[in-house]
Amino acid sequence: MAFEKAHVMLVSTSPAPPLRQVFSDDTLWDRLRQEAADVLAREPVLAALILTTVINRETFEQAVIHRVALRLANGTVSTDLIVDAFTAALREDPEIGKAFRADIAAVVDRDPATARLIEPLLYYKGFHAIETHRLAHYLWNINQRDLAFYLQSRSSELFQTDIHPAARFGRGIFLDHATGFVVGATAIIEDNVSILQNVTLGGTGKESGDRHPKIKSGTMIGAGAKILGNIEVGPCARVAAGSVVLSPVPANSTVAGVPAKIVGTAGCPEPARDMNQILSKLAYDSFSYSI
């Protein structure tokens, strides 16, 4: 009789609690699952994507891995292979998972067009390109360099970014729009940097060795900017759209022009978060006069 009662409890047909009532101690993951439930209720045509990416995953890190792997996979390299590589990378280097979280938070914090976490997770190629690079960089460092190059090539094909696997990225990187982003092998991008489309962090020719830019924390790089050579862009600097930067940029300054010149201060404590790309009239007049 006791067994029968237990069996009845196991097969109870009581409905499961709605998804939004199931909470963990992970605020970001809880919020993302709520957003997924809302999408599922509102647009059931996306059910397969929502279930595969979010609802059927146990952690935020798993959700990122499966979404990026699904986009990268093709007839040559399967989703499962990429998932396995990502999973092994996070197991050996938990900092990668922390970077996932900082990167997605950066998008929601800095992009006025983004109100939900689920948008970069599902749709934004800038976010996907950065997380692909994190796996490629890990593989590069453990000498699986052909697979790293494959991921670079695949990311270039899908996301229109060309990031050498050896390049070093910090956390909280916001790559807005992504198209045309090029990064050389010895480039370094520190924490909390915002970069718009068609930006190049490149060399100046055929020199060897350490030959690419070093972008310090808190910096914002405007659309179309080219930063060339082994030069430092100081903390919390602002590089105006279309600039060609050939010389070091001091901390907390704004540079603009071809070649870029200092036209004023950065205008705020942390340009990467402020995302203000409009030069003040005073700075613009000063820049125009100096040409």
Side-chain angles (χ1 to χ4, degrees):
M1 181 65 69
F3 173 79
E4 291 177 356
K5 288 182 179 178
H7 180 67
V8 169
M9 292 177 65
L10 287 172
V11 298
S12 171
T13 57
S14 299
L19 180 60
R20 64 178 61 252
Q21 295 180 14
V22 180
F23 295 106
S24 69
D25 59 356
D26 184 342
T27 303
L28 185 148
W29 183 227
D30 288 338
R31 174 176 164 181
L32 186 53
R33 286 173 63 82
Q34 288 183 19
E35 292 173 357
D38 292 341
V39 174
L40 193 60
R42 190 172 58 252
E43 300 193 53
V45 68
L46 295 176
L49 176 62
I50 299 301
L51 291 169
T52 300
T53 304
V54 182
I55 305 302
N56 293 341
R57 303 300 158 202
E58 295 182 357
T59 67
F60 169 73
E61 289 75 15
Q62 288 182 10
V64 173
I65 288 170
H66 280 82
R67 179 56 183 147
V68 174
L70 188 65
R71 293 202 72 177
L72 292 172
N74 59 14
T76 303
V77 177
S78 69
T79 303
D80 288 344
L81 189 153
I82 298 170
V83 167
D84 288 347
F86 255 126
T87 302
L90 265 72
R91 184 170 55 246
E92 295 299 319
D93 185 3
E95 293 299 315
I96 296 173
K98 295 177 183 178
F100 286 176
R101 290 170 177 267
D103 293 341
I104 201 167
V107 179
V108 177
D109 178 48
R110 302 174 205 168
D111 185 354
T114 302
R116 301 175 299 163
L117 292 164
I118 203 164
E119 293 164 20
L121 175 68
L122 295 183
Y123 312 123
Y124 288 10
K125 65 182 182 179
F127 178 71
H128 298 160
I130 292 170
E131 309 326 323
T132 299
H133 172 69
R134 296 197 186 282
L135 175 58
H137 183 68
Y138 172 82
L139 294 170
W140 182 267
N141 286 338
I142 63 170
N143 209 33
Q144 288 187 245
R145 296 193 169 182
D146 284 294
L147 182 53
F149 275 133
Y150 178 84
L151 291 175
Q152 175 196 11
S153 175
R154 184 71 175 138
S155 180
S156 179
E157 177 185 356
L158 288 171
F159 310 135
Q160 294 82 55
T161 64
D162 194 355
I163 308 170
H164 194 283
R168 288 184 278 167
F169 281 28
R171 300 183 196 172
I173 307 302
F174 174 36
L175 183 54
D176 196 10
H177 304 297
T179 301
F181 183 47
V182 177
V183 184
T186 62
I188 299 174
I189 303 173
E190 292 188 350
D191 297 342
N192 301 317
V193 171
S194 295
I195 303 171
L196 280 89
Q197 70 271 18
N198 292 316
V199 165
T200 297
L201 306 180
T204 58
K206 296 183 67 176
E207 70 273 21
S208 60
D210 194 355
R211 60 196 182 278
H212 297 111
K214 313 298 181 280
I215 312 300
K216 296 296 184 176
S217 297
T219 291
M220 190 201 72
I221 304 175
K226 316 302 176 189
I227 304 174
L228 306 177
N230 183 16
I231 58 175
E232 180 177 295
V233 176
C236 298
R238 184 169 61 148
V239 178
S243 300
V244 177
V245 182
L246 302 174
S247 303
V249 177
N252 304 108
S253 63
T254 294
V255 296
V258 183
K261 300 178 181 180
I262 299 172
V263 297
T265 66
C268 63
E270 196 173 2
R273 294 194 65 185
D274 187 78
M275 296 296 291
N276 182 2
Q277 299 176 65
I278 304 300
L279 301 180
S280 70
K281 184 178 187 301
L282 179 62
Y284 180 80
D285 289 345
S286 173
F287 167 63
S288 300
Y289 179 79
S290 67
I291 294 178

